[in-house]
Amino acid sequence: MGESPQAVRAWVREKLIREAGENGPPATMAAAAEHILRPLSAHLARLVGDAGFEALLARAVALARREVPALCADPGGGQEGLVQCLREMEGEHVCGSATAVVTALVDLLASFVGVDLATSLLREAWPDLPEMGDGAERAGDT
Amino acid sequence: MSNGEKVTIRKLPTGVPGLDEVLGGGIPEYSFNLIAGGPGSGKTTLAHQILFANATVERPALYFTVLGEPTLKMLRYQQQFRFFDLEKVGRCIHLLNLSQVVLEQDLSQVLASIARDVDAANPAFVVVDSFRTVTRAARPGEMELQSFVQRLALLLTSWQATSFLVGEYVESEMRDNPVLTVADGILFLTQAVERNSIVRKLQVVKMRGQAPVPGLHVFRITDDGLQVFPRLHVRLPAVREAKEDQRLPTGIPGLDEMLGGGIPQGDAVLVAGPSGAGKSLLTTQFIAEGASRGEPGVIAIFEEQIGDYLANARTLGFDLDAMIRSGDVRIVYLRPLDLSVDETLYELQERAAAVSAKRVVVDSVAGFEMALAPTFREDFRESLYRLVGALTGGGMAVLLPTEVTESFLDLRFSPHLVSFLADDIILLRYVEIEGRLRRVIAVVKMRGSRHSHEIREFEITGSGLVVGEPLRGYRGILSGMPVPGDGLTQAPFPGLTDREMLVLRAVTDAEEPTVPELARLTALRRPALTLALDRLVALSYAVRVKEGDHLVYRRA
Ligand SMILES: Nc1ncnc2c1ncn2[C@@H]1O[C@H](COP(=O)(O)OP(=O)(O)OP(=O)(O)O)[C@@H](O)[C@H]1O
Ligand SMILES: [Mg+2]
């Protein structure tokens, strides 16, 4: 898998901070994360089914744990489970964890269907998603 | 409504080369279709190809995926095809997953869910992939499959959507299936794997309101998606209209004389002989002669590389390169192991049509057979017959060099096939006369026209084949070991028994004999005699003519 697209990472982080503040309380930060995830889960579930989305999210959490070991091992329960886990984390890790999970999810999607298609699928959920062509490996390429 | 005007059914192009032709024009608008086939048969690819060719922002498509292939995987694989336009996904083609409803609810909920999405998106196209998983997952006692399918068809048609259900079915399941009665169109895809080749075939089981081309059509899947090679209709020789007796000279004076002026236009000619006898030379000469007369030619080569073939012709004094450059001659080189006859036909016909060919050489029949995938080799005879029929039906003269070893009777085809396949047979042989190996040529058969029964000697010179005088004074020339005597009566008649030869000789010698006369001449009794006569007529060696109020026989 390629490097996580830096532009996406920065965009996620910025969105979280704008809503919850630089060092906002875990509950506020978790809520901000939920606001990012909700349109995505609704959108992707239509495409891959609820079970499909849960599986993707579980994999994204597992990948994000390599970066933020403080993240819960297997929150379960899909998006709600993840938000619950964020809420219960140490304050300093919440923003980084949420960013890592969302970025991993984007990256995972791109690894399956390629950056171009992933971008266009995600844009339907997040119209303001930045371009992520640069620096990201085109996983769909052969 | 006025003037009794009938509705015009718009036909949508499928975007699959060859398929519109097979369907009888395209997919009828608002039709409810089934794309059926086993795993990996190309159902999803076909559905995608149709959508990418038709869906637009104004006329979008809904693609429902069910429990089968996970959507992300499908997108991952399908985008490898060139027709897959990333721009269209999400804008013109909307993918929706139904697995949740299918897993947790019953068919009426599935229907309601589809109805909601269709209502919201107002699609022009709807695909459910795969449909079988929808129905299989339903619990017993719930909405009946038949009723579900009928309501779905009603819903989609009322919403003016052209729809495709993708179903995983094998052939045995294609009967007694409620989906089949409801569907307006059914496309059935199969694939057979044999050794190292995959042969894919498509059948239009039905297509309401239009006339699809019947039979199994070969198709391929490449980076461009599906391509169908329509199986062509071939007229049977029996109904082939009488053609004008226009002759195409071979450019070999003695041979043209033996043929009564040349090869009849629209004839298929077997040029049979052992290896090295001069078959390719004869056919090259035929093509070169055509080029010099402004009659374009096509040579299909299976066994040799084009380079070798050209070099070979050059050493024999023919500059095929120049003829190719000037556009008078085309060479088609066909080799891939999984070649099917329909692809060959397609390719040959394209080339032949491109130059308005009058002369075609397929060098050689054995090469053609070898170039076919094993599956196709089984129906090789029929294939060859259709190939030749399609070409000659278009008025081309087709020469088929065919290697035969010892005697003509070894010819790999049954006399029946030879008789049906080839209108004419030219035979080349080596014979040993007085300790010297000599080459001889004979016109063994010509359907519907008189020809020489001579056996002539020929030589291969720097300017091609030169046919000399008839060999006289020998018997059994074509056996390869002639003995002094009358050679004419020993002309070879492939596939005939001694008794049939005897009868044929009597037919030849007597002036239009009747059956009683033949009985006297041959000393054969009725059943045996009439059987022999029937076979001679069936194999086109003899014709039965009504003369006054009795039947007479004469050489064909
Ligand atoms: N570029 C390509 N060149 C040749 N063949 C290809 C190419 N890409 C895919 N294929 C073949 O096309 C087939 C894919 O067909 P497709 O997925 O449409 O089948 P399907 O009938 O939908 O299968 P399933 O029942 O598994 O859903 C496979 O057999 C694959 O080997
Ligand atoms: Mg499929």
Side-chain angles (χ1 to χ4, degrees):
Chain A
M1 200 181 299
E3 283 295 296
S4 296
Q6 290 309 313
V8 173
R9 180 180 295 274
W11 173 80
V12 174
R13 211 186 130 72
E14 196 191 302
K15 258 178 114 74
L16 290 171
I17 290 171
R18 202 185 303 137
E19 184 174 332
E22 183 82 50
N23 287 307
T28 322
M29 196 55 92
E34 190 179 8
H35 293 152
I36 296 184
L37 283 172
R38 194 182 296 136
L40 181 67
S41 71
H43 184 67
L44 281 188
R46 278 171 72 74
L47 182 70
V48 301
D50 291 347
F53 179 73
E54 269 184 37
L56 278 178
L57 191 64
R59 174 66 179 154
V61 169
L63 291 169
R65 263 173 56 82
R66 294 180 185 171
E67 204 181 302
V68 192
L71 195 58
C72 344
D74 184 10
Q79 182 196 313
E80 276 114 67
L82 174 65
V83 171
Q84 185 59 36
C85 150
L86 291 175
R87 231 177 253 139
E88 290 160 11
M89 280 175 81
E90 299 278 324
E92 57 191 302
H93 294 306
V94 182
C95 183
S97 299
T99 308
V101 172
V102 175
T103 312
L105 193 61
V106 169
D107 205 19
L108 189 58
L109 199 59
S111 79
F112 283 121
V113 301
V115 167
D116 289 356
L117 192 52
T119 310
S120 80
L121 292 175
L122 294 172
R123 279 257 165 80
E124 288 166 39
W126 300 326
D128 53 339
L129 181 77
E131 206 53 64
M132 49 180 193
D134 287 345
E137 181 185 312
R138 281 203 55 162
D141 280 357
T142 42
Chain B
M1 296 261 157
S2 58
N3 326 344
E5 214 174 273
K6 293 186 180 167
V7 64
T8 336
I9 299 178
R10 218 154 62 92
K11 293 175 187 176
L12 307 168
T14 56
V16 177
L19 183 56
D20 294 346
E21 193 183 331
V22 167
L23 291 173
I27 299 276
E29 194 172 36
Y30 313 145
S31 58
F32 180 77
N33 305 285
L34 177 66
I35 298 176
S41 57
K43 304 180 294 295
T44 301
T45 309
L46 174 58
H48 276 220
Q49 207 166 340
I50 295 173
L51 293 193
F52 278 97
N54 287 283
T56 60
V57 174
E58 296 75 34
R59 294 171 52 75
L62 287 188
Y63 198 103
F64 293 99
T65 56
V66 197
L67 296 172
E69 187 180 1
T71 317
L72 288 185
K73 281 250 179 82
M74 182 182 79
L75 288 173
R76 176 177 172 80
Y77 295 129
Q78 288 294 319
Q79 66 177 277
Q80 308 299 323
F81 291 110
R82 264 191 279 269
F83 62 75
F84 194 102
D85 180 359
L86 291 175
E87 293 283 302
K88 287 201 166 184
V89 180
R91 284 180 66 238
C92 316
I93 300 173
H94 304 277
L95 295 140
L96 295 166
N97 197 291
L98 281 184
S99 27
Q100 210 72 19
V101 197
V102 170
L103 280 176
E104 292 169 5
Q105 288 159 349
D106 69 11
L107 284 179
S108 54
Q109 293 302 311
V110 173
L111 194 62
S113 169
I114 292 179
R116 267 196 306 278
D117 287 317
V118 166
D119 188 18
N122 195 24
F125 307 94
V126 173
V127 173
V128 180
D129 184 2
S130 97
F131 174 73
R132 168 121 187 216
T133 45
V134 174
T135 58
R136 214 190 281 148
R139 282 177 285 262
E142 291 163 352
M143 186 191 246
E144 290 284 318
L145 175 60
Q146 172 93 36
S147 140
F148 170 76
V149 174
Q150 247 151 13
R151 287 209 234 162
L152 182 63
L154 210 58
L155 167 80
L156 295 176
T157 308
S158 316
W159 281 89
Q160 293 175 288
T162 307
S163 46
F164 301 88
L165 307 188
V166 173
E168 222 180 274
Y169 294 104
V170 294
E171 204 149 7
S172 58
E173 296 171 298
M174 294 291 287
R175 268 167 277 130
D176 309 323
N177 194 315
V179 183
L180 308 190
T181 29
V182 179
D184 299 311
I186 301 175
L187 296 179
F188 189 54
L189 312 182
T190 56
Q191 59 174 342
V193 183
E194 284 216 18
R195 269 168 271 173
N196 46 10
S197 48
I198 294 184
V199 176
R200 301 179 185 276
K201 292 184 183 178
L202 172 148
Q203 188 189 357
V204 183
V205 181
K206 72 167 165 184
M207 193 51 63
R208 285 191 181 132
Q210 55 201 50
V213 182
L216 292 168
H217 306 274
V218 172
F219 71 96
R220 288 191 160 219
I221 299 181
T222 64
D223 294 348
D224 290 316
L226 276 75
Q227 178 177 12
V228 180
F229 299 90
R231 183 190 163 97
L232 302 177
H233 291 293
V234 179
R235 279 170 294 165
L236 297 172
V239 299
R240 226 160 80 174
E241 71 252 26
K243 54 206 171 223
E244 306 166 41
D245 190 19
Q246 204 201 323
R247 298 300 174 116
L248 306 178
T250 61
I252 305 164
L255 179 59
D256 286 336
E257 211 173 285
M258 294 168 78
L259 289 164
I263 289 171
Q265 189 182 353
D267 268 15
V269 186
L270 217 58
V271 179
S275 159
K279 301 184 296 294
S280 290
L281 178 54
L282 190 155
T283 54
T284 307
Q285 226 163 327
F286 174 70
I287 290 289
E289 177 68 15
S292 74
R293 290 170 177 266
E295 295 169 1
V298 168
I299 305 176
I301 312 171
F302 297 94
E303 287 163 326
E304 309 174 58
Q305 297 286 347
I306 291 184
D308 292 349
Y309 197 88
L310 297 180
N312 215 354
R314 216 173 296 128
T315 62
L316 295 166
F318 297 99
D319 191 357
L320 282 180
D321 296 280
M323 297 175 208
I324 292 167
R325 275 196 304 276
S326 67
D328 295 324
V329 174
R330 285 282 165 93
I331 295 210
V332 184
Y333 172 62
L334 300 158
R335 182 75 236 204
L337 260 174
D338 55 346
L339 201 65
S340 76
V341 70
D342 299 288
E343 290 174 83
T344 314
L345 251 175
Y346 186 81
E347 175 112 28
L348 261 181
Q349 290 208 316
E350 291 257 290
R351 302 295 179 93
V355 291
S356 312
K358 278 221 167 6
R359 302 174 179 227
V360 177
V361 169
V362 181
D363 198 351
S364 67
V365 169
F368 181 47
E369 182 175 9
M370 289 316 296
L372 296 174
T375 326
F376 295 120
R377 233 171 272 163
E378 285 167 16
D379 2 285
F380 171 65
R381 291 169 172 202
E382 200 226 331
S383 299
L384 184 61
Y385 172 65
R386 290 199 300 120
L387 170 71
V388 169
L391 295 171
T392 55
M396 298 169 210
V398 182
L399 261 54
L400 303 158
T402 308
E403 185 164 327
V404 291
T405 45
E406 278 307 302
S407 80
F408 194 76
L409 300 175
D410 292 349
L411 201 60
R412 63 190 313 137
F413 311 110
S414 70
H416 206 72
L417 182 81
V418 169
S419 164
F420 272 109
L421 178 71
D423 301 297
D424 319 318
I425 299 171
I426 297 173
L427 179 61
L428 307 180
R429 267 198 70 64
Y430 294 112
V431 298
E432 190 193 323
I433 295 179
E434 288 153 13
R436 215 163 65 81
L437 207 54
R438 294 155 80 169
R439 298 172 197 266
V440 296
I441 185 167
V443 178
V444 175
K445 167 190 155 188
M446 265 183 102
R447 182 175 287 164
S449 58
R450 297 203 168 274
H451 64 93
S452 153
H453 287 214
E454 294 162 347
I455 295 166
R456 296 201 186 187
E457 188 168 2
F458 73 92
E459 276 174 53
I460 293 179
T461 72
S463 50
L465 222 106
V466 176
V467 175
E469 290 305 305
L471 271 180
R472 292 193 202 280
Y474 295 95
R475 231 160 24 86
I477 294 174
L478 295 170
S479 71
M481 300 287 272
V483 292
D486 176 7
L488 285 188
T489 53
Q490 287 293 310
F493 302 105
L496 297 190
T497 62
D498 288 350
R499 181 182 291 159
E500 287 156 0
M501 295 271 275
L502 178 71
V503 177
L504 183 59
R505 209 166 295 142
V507 169
T508 314
D509 293 344
E511 278 291 316
E512 304 199 334
T514 59
V515 176
E517 281 164 5
L518 284 169
R520 203 179 57 245
L521 285 167
T522 58
L524 286 175
R525 287 181 204 217
R526 271 307 163 85
L529 176 60
T530 40
L531 262 177
L533 282 168
D534 285 347
R535 249 183 64 86
L536 291 173
V537 170
L539 296 177
S540 304
Y541 285 115
V543 286
R544 191 182 279 134
V545 189
K546 207 160 159 58
E547 195 64 66
D549 53 3
H550 50 261
L551 293 173
V552 298
Y553 290 83
R554 75 159 84 103
R555 271 304 303 273

